[in-house]
Amino acid sequence: MAVFVALGAFVMTLVGGWTARRVTDRRHLVLGLAGGLMLGVVGLDLLPEALDAAGGPVFGVPAALLLFVAGFLAAHVLEHLLAQRQAAHGADEHAHGRAPEVGLTAAGAMVGHSMMDGIAIGAAFQVGGGMGVAVALAVIAHDFADGFNTYTITRLYGNARRKATIMLLADAAAPVVGSATTLLFTIPEQLLGGYLGFFGGVLLYLAAAEILPEAHHDHPARSTLLCTVAGAAFIWLVVGVAG
């Protein structure tokens, strides 16, 4: 049952990626919406779950928040190291100095997050059918944002459409694979919480340092701001309905 329900997440992820691909003539709106969705996912979904699951404080600071900061810094350092290596080898600045590897790494993290979503569905169904349905609906709803963001991030960093599509397909399949693994083993809650905190830091860096500035670079329009607010509000709605 869990794997069957996860197929809904598969479809919704593809719909999100297809939407991001079709509106390329309104790129600033796509990026503004993606930034809002990512901000909402981090602040309203990932961090609360991470704080609940990642364990107690480390030297006075919750472990989830330490890993959140570590994820932000890791994304910052990785991007600059890859950009420097790219420049040292005389690479093209076709993506405004961005290294395509960063986009692929970020998309890979999205795939990992989607697999965790599938594991959450499977674990919830082990608790009970009602719990499984509630978690599944929440995952299916926000997997639209996951697919949208996976495709957008991959393309933003100068990767070809083919690579973006491959990452989108991997992200769509991940919840199905994740739910199937719950038939074999479960992930300790503390480890899962730590991962969510770290991944939240990575997403916030990409949203705040890359996606939103790019959205407003050529089109500092009110409509872009509205898309950003709408993206965050959509995640709030999803979290509220799931709760």
Side-chain angles (χ1 to χ4, degrees):
M1 181 62 180
V3 175
F4 178 75
V5 171
L7 290 175
F10 174 87
V11 173
M12 190 59 73
T13 302
L14 292 181
V15 171
W18 178 85
T19 301
R21 179 172 181 171
R22 294 293 296 176
V23 292
T24 52
D25 57 328
R26 293 288 185 268
R27 185 169 178 268
H28 59 291
L29 299 180
V30 171
L31 293 175
L33 179 61
L37 289 170
M38 292 170 72
L39 176 62
V41 167
V42 171
L44 306 178
D45 187 16
L46 293 183
L47 272 184
E49 289 188 27
L51 287 168
D52 283 342
V58 178
F59 203 63
V61 178
L65 293 184
L66 286 175
L67 288 165
F68 173 77
V69 173
F72 188 98
L73 293 175
H76 178 62
V77 171
L78 176 64
E79 179 182 27
H80 282 272
L81 288 177
L82 290 175
Q84 288 174 5
R85 190 183 72 175
Q86 190 180 36
H89 287 81
D92 248 345
E93 305 248 343
H94 65 284
H96 305 292
R98 295 188 176 90
E101 296 91 340
V102 174
L104 293 175
T105 301
M110 294 294 292
V111 173
H113 172 58
S114 292
M115 183 170 290
M116 294 298 180
D117 283 344
I119 291 172
I121 292 175
F125 270 102
Q126 290 179 6
V127 173
M131 175 69 74
V133 170
V135 171
L137 288 176
V139 168
I140 289 171
H142 93 250
D143 270 356
F144 175 87
D146 285 352
F148 190 98
N149 290 335
T150 297
Y151 188 88
T152 300
I153 290 171
T154 309
R155 290 287 290 149
L156 177 64
Y157 280 83
N159 291 285
R161 280 192 173 190
R162 181 178 62 84
K163 288 186 178 180
T165 301
I166 290 172
M167 296 307 298
L168 174 63
L169 290 172
D171 189 48
V176 181
V177 175
S179 64
T181 62
T182 60
L183 301 174
L184 305 174
F185 63 89
T186 57
I187 295 179
E189 183 181 17
Q190 193 168 345
L191 180 60
L192 178 59
Y195 166 78
L196 292 176
F198 186 86
F199 179 55
V202 173
L203 277 190
L204 183 63
Y205 175 81
L206 293 174
E210 296 296 335
I211 290 182
L212 289 177
E214 181 70 14
H216 295 281
H217 178 66
D218 294 323
H219 298 275
R222 186 176 301 173
S223 57
T224 307
L225 290 172
L226 290 175
C227 282
T228 302
V229 173
F234 172 74
I235 299 299
W236 185 18
L237 176 64
V238 169
V239 171
V241 170

